[in-house]
Amino acid sequence: MVLFGGSQMNISSWVQRAKQEMQEIGVESIRDSGILPERGAKFFPVIGYPPLTMFSDMDQEPLFNNLQQRHERPLLGYAHIPFCPSRCTFCHWITKTKSKSEEVDMYLDYLEREMILYKQNMGVDAIPVQSVLIGGGTPTYPSAQQMERFMKMYTTHYDLSGCTQFSVEAEPGTLLGKDGYEKLRIMKDYGVDRISLGVQSFDDDILRYMGRVHTHAETLESIRNMRKAGIGNVFIDLIYGYPNQTVEMWAQHMLEAVSLDIEGYQLYRLRIKQHGDRQGNIIVQARKNPERFPETDEVLLMKYLGIMISEEHGFHEYQTRCFAKKPEYISHYLRDWAADLADVAGVGVSAWSTLRGVFAINVGDANLQNYYNLIDQGKVAINRGKMRTKDDELRRSFILPLKNMKVNKQQFTERTGETINNFFHNEVTWLKQLGLLAENDQDIWLTKLGKYFADEVATQFFNPDYMPFEDVMRAPAQIAVG
């Protein structure tokens, strides 16, 4: 028997209970309904809307043109640090591995220049933001001295006086020992109050297979270092559905996760196909050794185990796939842009922005030269984007709040000028009949079953031209009621 966190159940008991609950809430009926691509074997993570596949070539002009005449939204801050200790097999983003200190210094030079260009285009002395995420890559890869330089320039060019949370992504191996503690102390001094740690797995063999260079022991040491530095909100990321991962192993890892000295975690299903600026090497493994990957039934069971064990131990899903002891511990940045539809001012290679109806993404290239070239031309380094149409706004105003928390009907109408009943009557009625949605006079939300299939439910509200898969059933044109 393996016990964690005071649990009185062994691993097989947790697994059997999860199977029974999945049957009781009707998981198989949804797999048979036709709304899941290949009965759940494939999935599309709904991170934003419209999806990035709908973006086309664009420079900075549409993002900033007539900015003051466009409807203002609350603003968030994002910066991208692309450097990493290693290239993870599951990563679909632009990274640079084992970079020398001079490369990091040069990137910071250009990053500050882009911040200055950005605020000049906005017509402000400093960009006012209500929450911040520093992502990557590995933002904690730079040295302590470089970390202080970055923090100083970021808090100079971004106004954090009204910021409710300053969050930084991190890798365990970069936060060890005296140097790691010094980075943490510097971040804390500049207002960082939340760190999201890329743990991914507690198993050293799987970590090596992932291409990670940290160990489980180093994960625990980095958490202790964070606490020593006074970081009061520690999150970790974990991935399920990985090669060589069993259901029993995942259940054991979840039981360990709920026993750690952390405020919460985010659980990710392994994404094999590209969804960022670069195809992850995991697709090579999937083609070469498919037998190492868990079957779909096992992956879905892992997903339910994560939810069930979390809830049993006081980690609640306050935002889809984000579990925390209290709602204020989740990422305010993710909450603000996904549930409240705030704008984002993003800088750095492959960073993204959304300002008053326009999406933009910075150039993503591994050698960084294209990023540098655009800044040398006096431009924010944007090379793709989309001016959102009315249809985009209507769907975005429903899809993102629904997937992440709930849709308030009055807020939807205030944002779009439409009612949900007029625009999504068939979809809502049909998905309610399937047991995936519920509503009252004020809100529409995902049921327990709907939250389990949150991404798949969200895609039901996509414009037909944006659908990621062709083999899924959509709401019938006529809905039988009664």
Side-chain angles (χ1 to χ4, degrees):
M1 182 180 292
V2 182
L3 298 176
F4 291 103
S7 172
Q8 299 300 308
M9 297 175 64
N10 61 28
I11 297 300
S12 61
S13 296
W14 281 107
V15 172
Q16 289 306 312
R17 180 179 160 191
K19 289 180 178 178
Q20 181 179 346
E21 289 191 13
M22 289 173 68
Q23 184 176 7
E24 290 172 354
I25 68 171
V27 168
E28 280 302 305
S29 68
I30 299 303
R31 294 187 68 189
D32 292 335
S33 70
I35 74 168
L36 309 184
E38 297 185 14
R39 299 190 71 249
K42 294 181 180 179
F43 86 113
F44 180 81
V46 179
I47 300 170
Y49 188 88
L52 300 185
T53 51
M54 296 296 107
F55 290 21
S56 56
D57 291 348
M58 189 182 89
D59 63 14
Q60 69 170 22
E61 292 306 314
L63 188 67
F64 299 114
N65 190 36
N66 295 322
L67 186 66
Q68 304 308 320
Q69 283 72 51
R70 288 147 48 191
H71 180 65
E72 185 176 3
R73 297 286 303 160
L75 190 59
L76 318 178
Y78 178 77
H80 192 85
I81 308 295
F83 307 102
C84 281
S86 64
R87 175 74 184 177
C88 302
T89 56
F90 57 80
C91 181
H92 297 274
W93 304 102
I94 295 298
T95 61
K96 283 185 68 65
T97 59
K98 301 177 182 178
S99 298
K100 296 179 180 179
S101 181
E102 307 85 72
E103 293 181 87
V104 178
D105 283 332
M106 178 176 285
Y107 181 76
L108 294 178
D109 289 342
Y110 277 88
L111 187 62
E112 181 165 26
R113 288 171 60 186
E114 188 183 23
M115 291 179 193
I116 294 169
L117 289 167
Y118 207 113
K119 69 180 187 179
Q120 288 174 345
N121 277 284
M122 290 192 68
V124 296
D125 294 329
I127 301 169
V129 292
Q130 71 177 33
S131 58
V132 172
L133 174 66
I134 310 302
T138 304
T140 51
Y141 179 89
S143 68
Q145 182 179 9
Q146 290 165 334
M147 177 63 73
E148 180 148 31
R149 180 187 171 196
F150 169 76
M151 286 289 160
K152 183 176 181 179
M153 70 191 200
Y154 194 84
T155 55
T156 296
H157 302 301
Y158 281 73
D159 177 3
L160 274 60
S161 60
C163 185
T164 65
Q165 188 186 79
F166 191 172
S167 186
V168 176
E169 295 177 352
E171 189 271 343
T174 62
L175 298 180
L176 302 177
K178 292 182 179 179
D179 186 60
Y181 174 77
E182 182 64 11
K183 294 179 194 178
L184 289 162
R185 185 195 62 77
I186 291 166
M187 287 189 282
K188 181 72 164 54
D189 287 348
Y190 278 90
V192 172
D193 52 9
R194 180 181 183 273
I195 289 183
S196 181
L197 193 66
V199 172
Q200 317 310 354
S201 176
F202 296 140
D203 183 276
D204 287 348
D205 289 335
I206 287 185
L207 286 170
R208 283 191 290 271
Y209 198 67
M210 287 178 168
R212 305 291 285 182
V213 293
H214 75 272
T215 64
H216 179 45
E218 289 172 338
T219 289
L220 300 180
E221 182 183 344
S222 68
I223 293 173
R224 289 193 293 270
N225 238 10
M226 282 187 268
R227 293 307 196 197
K228 180 181 175 183
I231 302 298
N233 188 353
V234 176
F235 257 59
I236 66 172
D237 294 342
L238 294 171
I239 296 176
Y240 62 93
Y242 212 82
N244 300 332
Q245 189 182 55
T246 66
V247 170
E248 291 73 20
M249 182 187 299
W250 175 249
Q252 183 170 332
H253 288 175
M254 283 305 310
L255 289 167
E256 181 162 7
V258 298
S259 73
L260 293 177
D261 178 24
I262 58 176
E263 278 60 53
Y265 42 78
Q266 299 178 145
L267 305 181
Y268 294 93
R269 179 175 174 177
L270 176 66
R271 302 162 183 171
I272 295 175
K273 289 193 175 182
Q274 181 176 347
H275 67 96
D277 268 332
R278 177 177 172 181
Q279 171 63 57
N281 295 331
I282 190 68
I283 199 166
V284 177
Q285 296 181 14
R287 291 168 177 166
K288 187 176 180 180
N289 302 111
E291 73 282 355
R292 293 185 177 179
F293 288 72
E295 297 292 336
T296 302
D297 288 354
E298 295 173 313
V299 174
L300 295 177
L301 181 55
M302 290 179 192
K303 182 177 184 178
Y304 196 86
L305 276 163
I307 297 169
M308 182 179 72
I309 292 173
S310 298
E311 293 289 344
E312 287 280 325
H313 291 84
F315 289 85
H316 303 295
E317 196 173 7
Y318 290 111
Q319 185 170 347
T320 302
R321 71 170 168 73
C322 302
F323 299 82
K325 294 176 180 177
K326 296 180 180 180
E328 58 264 32
Y329 292 145
I330 66 172
S331 168
H332 291 194
Y333 170 89
L334 292 177
R335 178 200 67 194
D336 293 345
W337 77 259
D340 296 335
L341 305 179
D343 280 350
V344 178
V347 292
V349 63
S350 76
W352 75 289
S353 296
T354 172
L355 287 181
R356 306 180 189 183
V358 180
F359 274 127
I361 304 181
N362 278 9
V363 61
D365 63 313
N367 65 16
L368 303 180
Q369 193 56 54
N370 291 331
Y371 173 72
Y372 296 159
N373 289 344
L374 285 170
I375 295 170
D376 282 337
Q377 295 170 29
K379 299 178 180 179
V380 173
I382 293 163
N383 74 335
R384 292 156 290 167
K386 190 178 195 305
M387 298 180 68
R388 295 196 295 271
T389 65
K390 181 177 180 179
D391 184 81
D392 292 338
E393 291 290 3
L394 281 162
R395 295 179 186 276
R396 178 174 181 259
S397 296
F398 188 88
I399 290 167
L400 296 187
L402 177 70
K403 189 222 165 170
N404 288 281
M405 288 186 177
K406 63 182 179 180
V407 185
N408 180 272
K409 295 178 180 180
Q410 182 177 341
Q411 288 179 353
F412 177 87
T413 298
E414 289 172 354
R415 287 169 177 162
T416 67
E418 295 278 355
T419 66
I420 292 172
N421 189 56
N422 284 344
F423 203 75
F424 290 125
H425 172 76
N426 278 10
E427 291 88 346
V428 170
T429 302
W430 184 55
L431 292 168
K432 283 171 61 179
Q433 291 174 353
L434 290 174
L436 298 167
L437 292 184
E439 71 173 319
N440 57 24
D441 290 342
Q442 290 77 42
D443 304 306
I444 298 176
W445 63 91
L446 297 167
T447 62
K448 182 176 182 179
L449 182 60
K451 187 173 284 191
Y452 180 78
F453 289 115
D455 289 302
E456 292 84 356
V457 174
T459 59
Q460 286 291 317
F461 298 92
F462 276 31
N463 183 297
D465 294 336
Y466 296 178
M467 286 295 289
F469 300 105
E470 296 179 357
D471 63 332
V472 296
M473 182 178 291
R474 301 293 297 271
Q478 299 294 326
I479 304 292
V481 179

